[in-house]
Amino acid sequence: MKTDLVKYKQKQKRVPRYYSELDKLYQHLISTLDVLIPPLPMCPIPNTDKEGHLLGRQWWYTLTLPNEIRNETQQGRVEDRLQRWLDRITDHESIQSSEGLREFIESENGFRPNITKNRVLRHIPYTKDVNPVYVHWTDEFNQWTDYLVQLLSKVQKLSYEHSAMAEAWLDMSSALVSYGGLERNPSLFIIYKTIAKQHQQLYSIEKTQAISIYHTIGSEIRYQIRNSEAAENAVQKGCVAWSDYLASEKYVDSCHIAAERLKSSVHINRDKVNEAILILEDARRNKLKLEQHYERMDKQLHEDIEHKHKKNVSKDLLMSIHDYAKSQLFLEQKKLALYEEVLSSVF
């Protein structure tokens, strides 16, 4: 990680952290800052081969047929989603000033923040007093979430169909083995046995296609559903800030009316008048504080949603579609190579 901020002792540092520490950082940030913070990605589950060796995140690119040489350089672009999340967090101007982030980066003995209990998010109904931009954003995020949920169901169906096809290949392999056992011609028996093995390999490829769908576009859609919900919650925080400001404005008006009534009373009680004036001044200070808080949040929301959130969502989805298409093309080519082997074994 790199930074130019004065508060950090080192301008460049490698920060090894457990996933639990990343989760603590995320919980700390959402409980202390009023900015749009993208949700922490799920902890990646390690993949291992049959011998128990750890595989890369795009391990399907190492899949080879029996007559092929394993190509380790064929794994393709691999980007850690957790690292991408952390890079975006540390690039946020408001989050950069967080003491929690500084402790997370500079702590030598692990990150142990004092996590405050998450504030219960109040839901503010969208009335005519609410900023219309907030209403537009909320409708936009709701529609986007509905679309992602529908898309996820189609992706899951596609993955299930690949799994079902894999079982069909395996059943075909078993049938060929059974039929080949009845064949008296040695040459035909070898052909049936060879084709049966090739169908077992087709089973493995088809299964891998189902898994790669989940790990590329499927997992990204799941994350973006959570991301959309986080953005909607950020908008709701803006509505709460606006509602609090309006309530303070009404309270100032009522305090002003009460003070004026006391001052215009026939029998003026100076102690009560002075007390009313103090309450009015305190209400005005609170109103100013809440107004400034709302204005800061409103400005930050526009920056976060229009210039960060939407841009990052498009970038991430395009990247996942690229990975999905590339993985499927690679595996389809493996299937094509097997079909060619079937032809060569028959003729």
Side-chain angles (χ1 to χ4, degrees):
M1 296 177 64
K2 297 180 181 180
T3 182
D4 295 326
L5 297 179
V6 178
K7 65 188 295 183
Y8 290 91
K9 297 176 183 178
Q10 296 175 271
K11 302 308 176 187
Q12 183 173 350
K13 185 179 180 181
R14 181 176 175 81
V15 186
R17 290 288 182 265
Y18 291 107
Y19 180 84
S20 59
E21 294 176 279
L22 284 171
D23 185 52
K24 289 176 183 177
L25 173 65
Y26 174 64
Q27 297 299 331
H28 175 74
L29 294 176
I30 62 175
S31 65
T32 56
L33 299 177
D34 289 322
V35 298
L36 172 50
I37 300 175
L40 178 68
M42 300 298 291
C43 183
I45 300 174
N47 297 299
T48 56
D49 58 17
K50 293 180 180 179
E51 289 75 30
H53 300 139
L54 192 64
L55 297 172
R57 283 180 292 276
Q58 292 183 340
W59 53 268
W60 44 84
Y61 288 119
T62 63
L63 189 148
T64 54
L65 301 179
N67 60 342
E68 290 181 331
I69 299 174
R70 184 167 181 150
N71 186 359
E72 297 292 345
T73 63
Q74 213 171 16
Q75 293 193 37
R77 179 196 57 73
V78 177
E79 185 176 0
D80 190 346
R81 186 178 283 130
L82 283 173
Q83 183 62 54
R84 197 192 318 166
W85 176 83
L86 187 58
D87 290 343
R88 288 173 181 172
I89 290 297
T90 54
D91 190 49
H92 197 290
E93 296 81 3
S94 298
I95 300 177
Q96 286 176 354
S97 59
S98 168
E99 271 301 304
L101 178 62
R102 185 191 65 78
E103 291 176 15
F104 174 83
I105 293 174
E106 296 191 339
S107 174
E108 299 294 340
N109 301 313
F111 181 58
R112 299 179 181 86
N114 294 321
I115 303 293
T116 57
K117 189 176 181 180
N118 285 344
R119 293 168 291 180
V120 178
L121 184 61
R122 289 153 46 203
H123 180 77
I124 305 298
Y126 295 121
T127 62
K128 61 181 181 180
D129 294 329
V130 177
N131 189 331
V133 177
Y134 290 3
V135 179
H136 169 72
W137 279 339
T138 301
D139 291 342
E140 200 174 51
F141 292 138
N142 284 332
Q143 291 174 8
W144 178 238
T145 301
D146 290 342
Y147 168 75
L148 288 174
V149 170
Q150 293 176 28
L151 180 60
L152 181 60
S153 68
K154 303 301 181 184
V155 170
Q156 288 174 330
K157 182 181 178 182
L158 179 61
S159 181
Y160 293 152
E161 287 175 351
H162 276 289
S163 296
M165 191 64 188
E167 295 300 326
W169 287 123
L170 195 61
D171 291 343
M172 187 68 175
S173 174
S174 299
L176 286 168
V177 169
S178 300
Y179 185 74
L182 302 175
E183 182 57 58
R184 300 303 179 188
N185 187 319
S187 297
L188 288 176
F189 171 77
I190 292 174
I191 289 175
Y192 286 131
K193 184 178 179 181
T194 301
I195 296 175
K197 286 182 178 180
Q198 291 164 342
H199 277 68
Q200 289 176 352
Q201 292 164 358
L202 285 169
Y203 161 80
S204 298
I205 294 174
E206 204 81 46
K207 269 289 189 183
T208 303
Q209 283 187 281
I211 296 171
S212 66
I213 289 171
Y214 171 82
H215 283 287
T216 53
I217 193 169
S219 62
E220 186 61 42
I221 292 172
R222 286 182 174 86
Y223 177 76
Q224 293 304 334
I225 290 173
R226 295 171 54 217
N227 199 11
S228 183
E229 291 170 351
E232 189 175 347
N233 287 337
V235 173
Q236 188 60 217
K237 284 184 178 181
C239 290
V240 170
W242 173 249
S243 176
D244 290 344
Y245 166 67
L246 288 181
S248 70
E249 194 174 46
K250 292 177 181 178
Y251 182 62
V252 167
D253 292 340
S254 66
C255 290
H256 182 265
I257 292 171
E260 288 298 320
R261 282 176 179 172
L262 286 172
K263 286 193 290 186
S264 62
S265 176
V266 177
H267 303 288
I268 298 178
N269 186 326
R270 295 200 175 275
D271 291 338
K272 288 187 177 181
V273 170
N274 291 335
E275 183 182 358
I277 291 173
L278 289 174
I279 292 173
L280 176 60
E281 290 175 351
D282 185 63
R284 284 172 174 167
R285 284 193 295 269
N286 187 56
K287 173 192 169 184
L288 179 61
K289 179 182 176 181
L290 291 174
E291 182 181 17
Q292 291 172 344
H293 175 64
Y294 164 71
E295 289 174 350
R296 284 196 304 270
M297 280 197 67
D298 183 62
K299 181 180 179 182
Q300 189 64 62
L301 270 177
H302 279 81
E303 175 67 23
D304 288 347
I305 292 175
E306 296 297 339
H307 302 290
K308 287 186 174 72
H309 175 79
K310 291 183 178 181
K311 177 183 176 182
N312 289 334
V313 168
S314 298
K315 180 181 178 182
D316 293 347
L317 282 173
L318 286 173
M319 194 181 298
S320 69
I321 292 171
H322 172 273
D323 290 344
Y324 159 72
K326 185 178 178 182
S327 65
Q328 296 303 305
L329 177 61
F330 175 81
L331 294 169
E332 288 292 340
Q333 288 172 340
K334 293 294 181 182
K335 287 163 71 173
L336 180 60
L338 274 175
Y339 292 141
E340 291 174 346
E341 284 186 15
V342 171
L343 288 175
S344 63
S345 64
V346 174
F347 300 102

